[in-house]
Amino acid sequence: MANNRRVSRVSSLIKREVSQMLLMEIKDDRVGAGMVSVTDVDLSNDLQHARIFVSIYGTPDAKAETMAGLKASAGFVRRELGQRIRLRRTPEVVFLEDTSLERGDRMLHLLDTIKTDQPLEDDDSEDYLDEEE
């Protein structure tokens, strides 16, 4: 079992290598359907399983097509990681879609609409504070 610092280092190395593979080496046309970026790599403590979270920008059809292409290229990615990173055993690779950026953007949009719909009245809040003193 690896310590937390080693798991962190290996996961950042996997993130960097997979990002380079997405840019240069994966030839599947489906992967290029949406703009893809690796957001996080969750590596198990025994370094045997890697969940790679990717953010995909595009239409829902392009996202589905890109995820299908990534899942099909998981074997290639694992083989390349085994050649690039010297580990006793190469981790199993699973690609998962990360929707946190979209959820965060939606939350910011909702907060902006709330802010514009209900303007704060600064004068009333100051009067309230003066009354308490």
Side-chain angles (χ1 to χ4, degrees):
M1 191 178 249
N3 61 12
N4 287 336
R5 197 170 91 196
R6 181 161 188 245
V7 170
S8 168
R9 280 192 353 239
V10 172
S11 68
S12 67
L13 187 59
I14 289 174
K15 181 178 176 181
R16 187 181 72 202
E17 293 296 330
V18 171
S19 295
Q20 285 181 343
M21 282 184 235
L22 286 172
L23 285 175
M24 306 282 188
E25 297 172 24
I26 295 180
K27 304 293 185 206
D28 194 343
D29 291 335
R30 295 177 292 180
V31 175
M35 196 168 73
V36 182
S37 63
V38 178
T39 57
D40 194 21
V41 174
D42 185 21
L43 194 60
S44 64
N45 285 337
D46 61 356
L47 305 177
Q48 295 301 307
H49 303 282
R51 294 188 307 172
I52 301 173
F53 293 94
V54 292
S55 177
I56 305 168
Y57 183 75
T59 64
D61 293 336
K63 288 181 183 184
E65 190 176 337
T66 302
M67 280 307 294
L70 286 173
K71 289 181 181 187
S73 64
F76 169 77
V77 170
R78 182 175 186 218
R79 186 179 71 237
E80 285 293 315
L81 283 175
Q83 292 175 356
R84 294 177 185 201
I85 302 172
R86 289 291 176 209
L87 295 172
R88 184 170 292 156
R89 298 178 82 178
T90 306
E92 293 287 329
V93 174
V94 176
F95 286 100
L96 299 171
E97 185 177 0
D98 185 10
T99 59
S100 63
L101 294 175
E102 293 170 356
R103 284 186 310 202
D105 185 45
R106 184 171 181 270
M107 288 300 253
L108 288 174
H109 178 70
L110 289 173
L111 289 172
D112 286 341
T113 58
I114 290 172
K115 184 178 178 182
T116 57
D117 288 345
Q118 299 174 354
L120 293 175
E121 296 179 13
D122 292 332
D123 297 334
D124 291 342
S125 63
E126 289 175 7
D127 292 339
Y128 179 74
L129 290 175
D130 290 338
E131 290 174 7
E132 286 183 357
E133 294 176 0

